[in-house]
Amino acid sequence: PPGRKVLIVYAHQEPKSLNGSLKRIAVEELSKQGCSVTVSDLYAMQFEPRATRNDIVGCLHNSEEFNYGVETREAYKRGCLSNDLIEEQKKVQEADLLIFQFPLYWFSMPAIMKGWMDRVLVQGFAHEFPNCYDSGLLKNKLALFSFTTGGSKEMYAKGGISGDIRYLLWPIQHGIMHFCGVKVLAPHICFAPEYVSEEKRKEMLIAWAQRLKTLWKEEPINCSPEWYFK
């Protein structure tokens, strides 16, 4: 709907890739609906994935012994996080929906996107125990993980060699997004695009465009272990 804000966090090196096309379609489709869409193209931005002392500007809270979690929490309170983090947090803060677009690497996100999670979702900004899970600080936001795999759908079935694809989503959907209070829409998965016909890849893009048309009507998944492991 008009006025909704979307942040697409995108991790692929090649604009002509299927991931690039999926990202482009999301931008087009959501803009057409009157949403305002921002893209964080992590490779193009040369986003720093490492959590280091450089993320804190100025003096440390405890210069004797460096504790990243404590230091970033304190720096967030003082407004002393590095600029790249402040920028990303602003985008997250404004977004109604976060879309993460990436190829699956080793059952997980590419390092550059994991680094985005590690650095951007600072304590005090995204979570603050006991304010986590349903009371996480980013509640009232939605997230959607859209990704491509190397393995086929059969490989990622319950009885398949790689196990149910949902097992892999537990740490990223539940352990990160739900932990921060974000509600999660069903993932969008393009299985083994490298091993299918051009025709099939076109169908994958059309299916994504179709889904985006009615995305705002979707109910989030049931954020419980049952969804992942039943």
Side-chain angles (χ1 to χ4, degrees):
R4 297 272 178 104
K5 289 191 158 69
V6 182
L7 171 62
I8 301 175
V9 182
Y10 163 69
H12 200 287
Q13 310 85 339
E14 174 52 68
K16 295 198 283 273
S17 63
L18 187 77
N19 273 275
S21 300
L22 290 160
K23 182 261 296 174
R24 197 178 59 251
I25 283 168
V27 173
E28 285 165 11
E29 202 49 61
L30 293 164
S31 302
K32 232 186 271 171
Q33 297 173 18
C35 300
S36 84
V37 185
T38 305
V39 178
S40 285
D41 180 342
L42 301 181
Y43 286 105
M45 292 156 69
Q46 302 198 338
F47 186 81
E48 167 61 82
R50 294 169 299 181
T52 68
R53 159 73 179 91
N54 298 338
D55 294 349
I56 298 99
V57 176
C59 301
L60 290 176
H61 177 68
N62 173 2
S63 52
E64 297 301 298
E65 194 178 323
F66 185 72
N67 177 321
Y68 186 80
V70 169
E71 292 297 343
T72 49
R73 180 191 72 206
E74 294 303 316
Y76 174 71
K77 280 191 216 159
R78 301 196 308 271
C80 293
L81 287 170
S82 61
N83 273 340
D84 58 342
L85 295 190
I86 291 171
E87 282 298 289
E88 294 307 297
Q89 288 177 346
K90 216 181 290 164
K91 296 175 196 174
V92 171
Q93 198 64 69
E94 290 176 357
D96 299 298
L97 167 67
L98 308 165
I99 295 178
F100 296 94
Q101 181 65 58
F102 59 98
L104 196 69
Y105 280 10
W106 294 119
F107 277 29
S108 189
M109 295 171 270
I112 201 165
M113 185 177 278
K114 176 57 161 58
W116 186 95
M117 304 281 182
D118 292 350
R119 294 179 64 229
V120 175
L121 302 175
V122 168
Q123 188 177 348
F125 167 68
H127 58 93
E128 183 72 276
F129 196 80
N131 294 323
C132 47
Y133 290 117
D134 291 339
S135 62
L137 303 181
L138 301 182
K139 55 182 179 293
N140 306 327
K141 296 187 188 300
L142 291 169
L144 193 168
F145 287 87
S146 170
F147 60 96
T148 58
T149 67
S152 65
K153 196 168 183 169
E154 293 68 47
M155 288 168 80
Y156 283 110
K158 217 183 197 80
I161 186 123
S162 300
D164 192 329
I165 193 80
R166 290 184 178 194
Y167 302 157
L168 320 189
L169 294 168
W170 172 253
I172 60 181
Q173 290 188 164
H174 187 78
I176 304 176
M177 284 297 119
H178 184 205
F179 186 81
C180 296
V182 179
K183 292 183 177 63
V184 181
L185 296 173
H188 198 83
I189 310 168
C190 293
F191 289 100
E194 287 177 86
Y195 305 105
V196 301
S197 65
E198 193 51 48
E199 200 45 51
K200 275 265 182 295
R201 279 197 291 274
K202 281 212 180 76
E203 282 167 26
M204 288 176 175
L205 297 176
I206 292 164
W208 177 227
Q210 280 307 112
R211 180 174 175 192
L212 289 162
K213 287 189 199 319
T214 55
L215 196 65
W216 301 102
K217 296 195 177 79
E218 291 185 17
E219 285 299 311
I221 64 167
N222 154 26
C223 278
S224 68
E226 288 78 61
W227 187 90
Y228 299 90
F229 302 108
K230 65 176 187 292

